[in-house]
Amino acid sequence: RALGPQMAGSSAPWIGSAYLFLQSTCKTIVLPSLYESSQKKPSVFKALKLALADSTGSVNGVDMLKVHCSHPHLIVQLKFCKQENCRRFLQSYREGALQESLQNHLQLSLAMTTVPLEMELKAGNEHLDNMLKDEDRCLECIYREKPDRLRDEEITELEECLKSLIVHQSINNNMAVKDCMSLNSPSLPYPSQGSSLSPQVTFIFQGEEFANRTLTPDDHQKFAKLVSKKWKQVGRSLQKDCRALRDPVIDNLALEYDREGLYEQAYQLLLRFIQSEGKKATIARLIAALEENGLISLAEELLGLHSNEDCS
């Protein structure tokens, strides 16, 4: 059955989602490390907020739902609520205005001489950088990807901080910002890599040794896209040592996301796993569950062993 927009009429709001990948081309500037530092985080957030506002011409043109640290990238999950805002954002991104604006804002808020950036824009599995000239196609890809989460509490806190900073102009007084930030919110999906070693440093798959790591947004999307009907079996394998997936959770997910289809069911399953297990939501555990269910090619895909084949 086709899963088109449920109400194609004008009454349905235009909502879409995309991921903005940011990386500094300067060796000494590591954006995720700056964002993980409690002193620098508000400055980086402020620069993101202002640059995004510049790109759409309004503070509410695009919403940040979450900022993921995935070295060397900072990945910003964006939500658009109006097509014209999304179109403006795409134009600004395509013309390099967003990049220039963000470089300037970061330079100012971090008090650095220059912060050169590289950017990528993705919606689902689509690399939008390859089709920026085709604006309607980009809009369609972003519209297809509905936001999978509400805004992260940390973002709400940073917004509040920013408002109070603007009101008091207490820019020199860093304490206000520090107190405002709970330094490590407990339940963030996609914990940043490397802050503490996962329980198991390496694991064996098909006789080869691989470095263990925490699951990333990219793993999450690939799994959801490729696992298909077997998502429940994989869930049953993961549930053995994950309380958040104990019965009847998996059956409930199947019912709750029945209309959205297999991708969404699989996505929500892994989201539960990541949110409950935190840093222990590792690639090793997912690969073991895939192996147990004979999904070897999906496991290989997640480990990057198919990188030169086109596996769409």
Side-chain angles (χ1 to χ4, degrees), residues 57 63 68 109 119 157 180 200 234 252 260 285 288 310:
D63 218 342
H68 303 283
S109 69
M119 296 184 153
E157 279 172 27
C180 205
Q200 184 186 353
V234 175
N252 289 349
E260 284 87 347
R285 288 172 71 182
D310 178 17

Side-chain angles (χ1 to χ4, degrees), residues 35 41 45 49 63-67 149-164 180-182 185 188:
Y35 195 80
K41 179 178 284 193
F45 179 80
K49 182 87 186 149
D63 218 342
M64 281 186 271
L65 295 181
K66 177 141 180 72
V67 178
R149 62 182 343 269
L150 297 169
R151 180 201 275 187
D152 196 78
E153 290 130 35
E154 184 188 52
I155 298 276
T156 311
E157 279 172 27
L158 285 161
E159 292 263 11
E160 291 305 313
C161 276
L162 192 55
K163 279 188 198 131
S164 65
C180 205
M181 285 303 308
S182 56
S185 317
L188 302 183

